[in-house]
Amino acid sequence: MAEKFDNLEEHLEKFIENIRQLGIIVSDFQPSSQTGLNQKLNYMISGLQDIEKCRQQLHEINVPLEVFEYIDQGRNPQLYTKECLERALARNEQVKGKIDTMTKFKSLLISELSKVFPEEMVNYKAIHGEDAPS
């Protein structure tokens, strides 16, 4: 997968350089530079075709729109990944806390039910085994 990205990056760099050179030719255009201009235009067309081929190889890549928003805001897109991980860790802690609370509640509920309904809880513990703490 990495070489697909490297290939795309290489084609983009060549394309950008070609566009830069094309801009230089156009900004100081002389009739004698028509051949060079035509050649750069042809390179630009073939460069776009190469980029299109690379795009087809990378069609399965999905980039969250938020990453583009980070870039538009002048922020580092790697911050998006960092912040997503931080949010996931915070959410994981919340869920872990809820699981711990529910586990304690279950244990307390079984304990209290065992006091009020001892015979039924013996049956429950027989059916559920270890799931029913004493």
Side-chain angles (χ1 to χ4, degrees):
M1 179 63 84
E3 65 184 53
K4 289 180 184 178
F5 286 115
D6 292 341
N7 191 24
L8 176 62
E9 184 177 0
E10 180 182 325
H11 286 298
L12 286 171
E13 287 173 354
K14 286 180 184 177
F15 183 76
I16 291 168
E17 178 59 24
N18 188 50
I19 294 293
R20 187 189 67 78
Q21 291 173 6
L22 186 63
I24 292 170
I25 293 171
V26 169
S27 69
D28 189 31
F29 184 74
Q30 302 292 321
S32 60
S33 62
Q34 182 66 48
T35 306
L37 176 64
N38 291 342
Q39 183 182 29
K40 289 296 176 188
L41 288 172
N42 287 331
Y43 286 154
M44 186 178 81
I45 292 167
S46 65
L48 286 171
Q49 290 169 339
D50 291 341
I51 291 169
E52 175 65 17
K53 288 176 191 170
C54 291
R55 184 189 69 81
Q56 291 171 356
Q57 294 174 352
L58 299 170
H59 66 54
E60 72 277 358
I61 305 298
N62 293 316
V63 178
L65 291 177
E66 292 87 2
V67 172
F68 295 110
E69 291 173 8
Y70 271 61
I71 293 169
D72 288 344
Q73 295 168 359
R75 298 171 69 191
N76 185 338
Q78 290 179 347
L79 288 176
Y80 173 79
T81 304
K82 178 185 174 198
E83 290 173 4
C84 280
L85 288 173
E86 288 172 350
R87 284 192 303 269
L89 287 172
R91 181 72 179 136
N92 186 37
E93 287 297 318
Q94 288 176 339
V95 171
K96 184 181 180 303
K98 288 179 181 180
I99 290 171
D100 290 346
T101 301
M102 293 303 287
T103 302
K104 290 175 186 174
F105 174 74
K106 177 184 175 185
S107 178
L108 180 62
L109 179 64
I110 289 173
S111 172
E112 292 299 316
L113 286 173
S114 293
K115 293 175 187 173
V116 178
F117 304 107
E119 292 176 21
E120 289 83 357
M121 290 309 294
V122 168
N123 292 336
Y124 174 82
K125 290 177 183 179
I127 295 171
H128 290 71
E130 288 184 31
D131 287 344
S134 309

